[in-house]
Amino acid sequence: MSRVAGMSISTCQTIDTELCADSVEWCPLTDLQDVLVCGTYQLQEQSEAESNEEQTRVGRLYLYALSNQSGSPSLEQLTSQDMPGVLDIKWSYHPVAGQACFALVNSVGELRVYKLLEDRSVAMVTRAELTPQSLGLSLEWNNMTGNSENTMRVVSSDSTGQIHVHQVGESSLVALETWKAHDYEAWIAAFDQNDTQIVYTGGDDCRLKGWDLRVGTASPVFNSKRHTMGVCSIQSNPVQPHLLATGSRQMSRPQQSVSLGGGVWRVKWEPCTASQILTATMYNGFHIINVTDNACDIVCHYKEHQSIAYGADWCRIPTDSAGKQNCDDPEDRQATRCQPSSPTHTIATCSFYDHLLKLWTV
């Protein structure tokens, strides 16, 4: 256990994912908040004779359940599936056709939707090809703050700079929009969760752009040229409208900024009060940032990973000050609600070349 700025940090568990780990996501649905999905991505080694052939990127999807049987939070593996390399995963914030679903983008340029079955295994529902011979790089659902089931959409980005918007049906993905947004890799795409007709994108061309789907995608409604590095991460605040966190700068001028000593691959607002941001800071571990009107302050720096920090997410299950969670009994899971006053957070993070998934509390 270590302490940073008055906060105690404790690593509860370390798991070897075997393949390089790059994404972790806790399920946001109330009775399934103990479920964690982890994606991996690795370039398959080739012999000298195969060196002229196209490289294969393999991956594996893991599903875990959080328990407290040992007296502290721990993960138990539920299932795993081999598949093309996974580059990003996001859960839908509402059921799709009555079932918990998540979507992923992969190394063969696909967007896939999976559902969680009653036995806590997963099954693919549908998939769609993005740009041929591309890597799918990121995605986000449009329903973080609430959308009816007939307007569920996913925005995704790929390595050719293309952005895609799909309508999600019970067993289908319908392409609505595809456009060239960036000159190089489009690292990230995200909805404005308070106005989901607005899409934000960031790319390796150091541009942050905004697009209004109501007026078309021929040109962005804003194009920030002030970034000095590629824009890798974007997430709008689910509580405060018009507040956006990025791995670089905001719009034409940042409201607040803080240097984290590394490129920021992912940003995640704390889901209850949205007053803190969890970051995967690539070459400098993971950070928790306290956000106020006047400052962004680092309150936690987690440095237990020894490789590139790519995946991070907050568990939404309330935790008491002793670090105990009521997640073993199904009735407790059903009754669980996100509590802003919870003094302890449980967090999952993953790192790439050392292929580690860590569970920790702060």
Side-chain angles (χ1 to χ4, degrees), residues 22 87-88 90 137-140 157 163 182 185-190 200-209 227-235 245-249 262-268 279-283 308-311:
D22 60 10
L87 286 97
D88 196 17
K90 294 291 192 308
L137 296 178
S138 76
L139 70 111
E140 188 176 63
S157 67
I163 304 299
H182 296 273
E185 290 90 343
W187 291 120
I188 190 72
Y200 303 116
T201 66
D204 208 45
D205 54 6
C206 306
R207 301 293 178 88
L208 170 66
K209 299 182 180 182
H227 306 88
T228 58
M229 300 176 69
V231 181
C232 298
S233 49
I234 301 170
Q235 191 179 58
T246 78
S248 191
R249 290 181 177 269
V264 181
W265 184 251
R266 285 292 176 264
V267 291
K268 298 287 182 69
T279 72
T281 320
M282 295 180 73
Y283 295 99
I308 304 175
Y310 271 152

Side-chain angles (χ1 to χ4, degrees), residues 82-96:
D82 290 332
M83 58 181 60
V86 178
L87 286 97
D88 196 17
I89 304 171
K90 294 291 192 308
W91 288 91
S92 171
Y93 287 81
H94 298 277
V96 179

Side-chain angles (χ1 to χ4, degrees), residues 188-230:
I188 190 72
F191 285 104
D192 184 320
Q193 293 294 341
N194 296 284
D195 180 358
T196 58
Q197 294 293 334
I198 301 295
V199 170
Y200 303 116
T201 66
D204 208 45
D205 54 6
C206 306
R207 301 293 178 88
L208 170 66
K209 299 182 180 182
W211 311 83
D212 190 331
L213 301 179
R214 289 164 294 205
V215 299
T217 55
S219 61
V221 292
F222 75 82
N223 180 2
S224 171
K225 304 176 182 180
R226 298 174 64 92
H227 306 88
T228 58
M229 300 176 69

Side-chain angles (χ1 to χ4, degrees), residues 29-220:
L29 300 183
T30 300
D31 56 342
L32 294 169
Q33 291 173 350
D34 62 315
V35 176
L36 177 74
V37 65
C38 175
T40 65
Y41 159 92
Q42 189 161 315
L43 197 62
Q44 199 168 44
E45 293 185 7
Q46 293 179 311
S47 66
E48 187 174 341
E50 298 171 323
S51 59
N52 293 326
E53 298 178 9
E54 186 176 348
Q55 292 182 308
T56 301
R57 298 168 172 88
V58 297
R60 186 174 301 139
L61 187 75
Y62 291 98
L63 202 70
Y64 298 94
L66 185 67
S67 75
N68 194 39
Q69 294 178 356
S70 61
S72 66
S74 64
L75 294 170
E76 298 178 355
Q77 184 176 322
L78 296 173
T79 187
S80 67
Q81 283 190 20
D82 290 332
M83 58 181 60
V86 178
L87 286 97
D88 196 17
I89 304 171
K90 294 291 192 308
W91 288 91
S92 171
Y93 287 81
H94 298 277
V96 179
Q99 292 182 293
C101 287
F102 61 86
L104 61 83
V105 286
N106 63 24
S107 60
V108 295
E110 290 178 331
L111 169 65
R112 294 184 177 186
V113 177
Y114 287 81
K115 62 183 176 182
L116 183 66
L117 304 178
E118 288 187 7
D119 64 357
R120 295 199 166 194
S121 62
V122 296
M124 187 171 67
V125 177
T126 184
R127 62 183 170 186
E129 184 181 39
L130 303 178
T131 306
Q133 298 182 324
S134 71
L135 301 178
L137 296 178
S138 76
L139 70 111
E140 188 176 63
W141 296 76
N142 71 338
N143 57 16
M144 181 185 293
T145 58
N147 265 287
S148 63
E149 200 163 300
N150 61 0
T151 59
M152 284 190 183
R153 296 179 178 181
V154 170
V155 63
S156 58
S157 67
D158 68 40
S159 58
T160 69
Q162 300 277 348
I163 304 299
H164 313 266
V165 177
H166 286 83
Q167 182 93 13
V168 182
E170 183 173 343
S171 59
S172 64
L173 284 167
V174 178
L176 300 179
E177 296 278 354
T178 293
W179 71 98
K180 179 77 170 180
H182 296 273
D183 292 335
Y184 306 107
E185 290 90 343
W187 291 120
I188 190 72
F191 285 104
D192 184 320
Q193 293 294 341
N194 296 284
D195 180 358
T196 58
Q197 294 293 334
I198 301 295
V199 170
Y200 303 116
T201 66
D204 208 45
D205 54 6
C206 306
R207 301 293 178 88
L208 170 66
K209 299 182 180 182
W211 311 83
D212 190 331
L213 301 179
R214 289 164 294 205
V215 299
T217 55
S219 61

Side-chain angles (χ1 to χ4, degrees), residues 1-2 8-15 72-74 301-305 345-347 349 356-362:
M1 179 180 289
S2 61
S8 62
I9 305 168
S10 179
T11 300
C12 305
Q13 189 178 11
T14 299
I15 296 172
S72 66
S74 64
H301 185 192
Y302 185 71
K303 300 181 285 185
E304 297 302 312
H305 290 266
H345 287 291
T346 299
I347 292 171
T349 52
L356 292 181
L357 167 64
K358 288 182 180 286
L359 186 72
W360 49 284
T361 58
V362 58

